Amino acid sequence: MLTRDFLMNADCKTAFGSIEESLLWTPEQRSASLAATLACRPDLSPVWIFGYGSLMWNPAFEFDESAPGTLVGWHRAFCLRLTAGRGTASRPGRMLALKEGGRTTGLAYRLPEAQLEDELTLVWKREMITGCYLPTWCRLELDDGRTVNALVFIMDPRHPLYEADTCPQTIAPLIAAASGPLGTNAQYLFSLEVELKKHGMHDDCLDELVSQVRAWLQKPQEEGGCFQAGFA
């Protein structure tokens, strides 16, 4: 699991596995992206980050408050080809992102203003290793009735690792087989399923995918085949 200490000390060239040099962002690129994002900050109200994947169960940054909320206009999709972290170039998996349309429930985190840049620098090191997301300010509806400005990491469809085909039949075997230095791709998916249930949330997009990945993971026992799930 990613920890705060791991992120602070990680060398992005090696810590997450082998990342193609042309895709890897430099610290300077990440810093410029963060500065540009903060320059577009809508107002001086508190900065929130919207977690819809692993940020829900493992944020690894400091925050003053968390609250469930709903992002309108975007939905979860495993549309990012995963070649590091929980996958490899030779056996890529799929990572979660957001695509246009629908709605997404998740957790919002209010960051401490005094440590804002330090915490966001850590977030950028985690999320923007290859610049695959578009950090976007969105209006987020919290369950308690508040509406806040939140930073949301949305998939950049122009990125080389973007994959348009997110049908469960296509991506289930990839997720079931992929693993890397941070664990297995399937563990990520199942952790998301558990976290959503924990907060009383539901995502129709995940149901069939979870079912098919579990089916793929059962194939060696049921068929005596050579499928490897990669739980190393």
Side-chain angles (χ1 to χ4, degrees):
M1 177 180 289
L2 286 173
T3 65
R4 185 180 181 85
D5 286 343
F6 174 89
L7 285 170
M8 292 179 69
N9 298 309
D11 179 350
C12 292
K13 291 184 178 181
T14 58
F16 301 95
S18 179
I19 300 176
E20 185 179 332
E21 190 72 23
S22 64
L23 296 177
L24 186 66
W25 270 26
T26 64
E28 292 75 20
Q29 285 176 298
R30 295 198 304 271
S31 179
S33 170
L34 173 54
T37 301
L38 287 176
C40 297
R41 184 176 176 178
D43 52 42
L44 294 180
S45 62
V47 171
W48 295 74
I49 289 182
F50 182 60
Y52 56 87
S54 63
L55 292 182
M56 292 182 67
W57 68 85
N58 182 34
F61 54 78
E62 300 291 338
F63 56 92
D64 288 338
E65 178 188 3
S66 66
T70 301
L71 179 67
V72 177
W74 303 90
H75 68 277
R76 288 182 179 88
F78 282 83
C79 58
L80 174 59
R81 188 164 74 254
L82 187 60
T83 60
R86 295 177 181 270
T88 62
S90 60
R91 184 169 281 181
R94 286 293 185 90
M95 183 48 62
L96 190 61
L98 291 178
K99 293 178 68 176
E100 196 168 2
R103 57 200 294 120
T104 301
T105 54
L107 293 180
Y109 301 92
R110 178 167 60 85
L111 273 60
E113 187 68 31
Q115 292 87 39
L116 183 60
E117 290 202 30
D118 288 342
E119 297 308 315
L120 287 177
T121 295
L122 204 64
V123 174
W124 251 250
K125 191 174 183 181
R126 170 180 179 160
E127 302 294 336
M128 298 292 285
I129 298 173
T130 66
C132 58
Y133 295 113
L134 298 172
T136 305
W137 296 97
C138 297
R139 300 294 284 172
L140 185 68
E141 301 171 1
L142 303 185
D143 286 5
D144 61 14
R146 288 178 291 172
T147 300
V148 300
N149 288 312
L151 271 174
V152 183
F153 289 91
I154 292 167
M155 184 70 215
D156 183 353
R158 303 163 300 179
H159 196 273
L161 295 179
Y162 170 70
E163 295 284 358
D165 186 355
T166 58
C167 293
Q169 294 85 349
T170 300
I171 66 176
L174 302 177
I175 292 175
S179 65
L182 299 184
T184 71
N185 204 178
Q187 286 169 337
Y188 178 97
L189 174 65
F190 299 151
S191 293
L192 175 58
E193 178 193 27
V194 168
E195 193 68 16
L196 290 175
K197 288 181 179 179
K198 175 181 173 182
H199 294 282
M201 300 174 183
H202 181 75
D203 194 321
D204 291 333
C205 298
L206 295 179
D207 290 346
E208 185 178 356
L209 178 59
V210 167
S211 176
Q212 291 204 25
V213 169
R214 287 203 169 102
W216 274 99
L217 292 174
Q218 290 298 317
K219 286 194 174 186
Q221 290 77 23
E222 294 176 359
E223 301 176 7
C226 58
F227 178 80
Q228 297 293 321
F231 284 93

